[in-house]
Amino acid sequence: MSSIPLTDGAETADYYRPRVLHVPAGKGVVKWMSGDVYETMAPAESTDGAVGLTVCWVPPGGGPIAHVHRAADESFYVISGALEFLNGDQIFVANAGDFVFVPRGTRHRFRNRTGEQAHMVSFFTPGGGEGLWLEGGDDPVPGEKPEFWPSERGLALGPLLGRKEIDMVILPEEADLQGPADKP
């Protein structure tokens, strides 16, 4: 098979330059965020800001406080389990295999109201929102489980929320202020 030169020979075409990001399973940056476990596989700086991708494990009762991202859209793909999502002031359940797209400026949160851990992928477009747990989350402690944070611990993240790439506003529900969600 012959190949046809795609340039005039002066230099190699840019599409031959290796640029693919490959992060093997289990090689992301793991952080604990108020009981949840987040493994960021592609922080914004690794994708030139295009996307930030995180694999999430949400225990029964887990999930973030209701909030809005003003600078990015956030999407979710549920791998296993079921998660209750807030959409503005309405609620729906996303099950394994479901995709959820949250446009920037939409109040939302997810909550595991089942008795089983949920597993999903979350991504920001453009990337940057994952900086909240990369910088504000806890490093895992071998042999221990992540704990739900008291409200003071969550409030300590305030300075990160206003950063340009995170740009998040907390808009809690009454239940958000009482600790982990009750299971059914």
Side-chain angles (χ1 to χ4, degrees), residues 39 49 87 106 113 121 131 140 145 152 166 175:
E39 182 180 9
N87 174 18
T106 304
R113 295 209 185 265
V121 175
K145 289 185 175 184
E152 309 80 57
I166 296 174

Side-chain angles (χ1 to χ4, degrees), residues 18-151:
R19 296 181 291 183
V20 171
L21 172 66
H22 171 235
V23 181
K27 297 297 184 183
V29 176
V30 178
K31 292 290 186 172
W32 289 353
M33 190 81 172
S34 192
D36 298 352
V37 177
Y38 297 156
E39 182 180 9
T40 300
M41 303 297 282
E45 57 271 6
S46 71
T47 65
D48 200 23
V51 67
L53 186 134
T54 300
V55 181
C56 310
W57 291 268
V58 184
I65 192 168
H67 60 279
V68 170
H69 301 286
R70 296 184 295 194
D73 302 319
E74 189 173 16
S75 298
F76 304 90
Y77 177 76
V78 181
I79 297 168
S80 66
L83 292 162
E84 176 188 271
F85 277 83
L86 177 67
N87 174 18
D89 63 356
Q90 297 181 350
I91 291 175
F92 66 92
V93 174
N95 295 294
D98 289 358
F99 173 76
V100 177
F101 173 75
V102 180
R104 65 193 75 192
T106 304
R107 180 176 179 244
H108 67 286
R109 58 107 178 113
F110 55 85
R111 178 83 33 83
N112 185 348
R113 295 209 185 265
T114 74
E116 301 294 323
Q117 176 174 262
H119 187 201
M120 73 173 171
V121 175
S122 167
F123 44 103
F124 290 98
T125 49
E130 69 284 353
L132 180 64
W133 47 85
L134 288 173
E135 293 185 42
D138 296 326
D139 291 325
V141 178
E144 293 187 24
K145 289 185 175 184
E147 296 288 328
F148 184 82
W149 292 349
S151 59

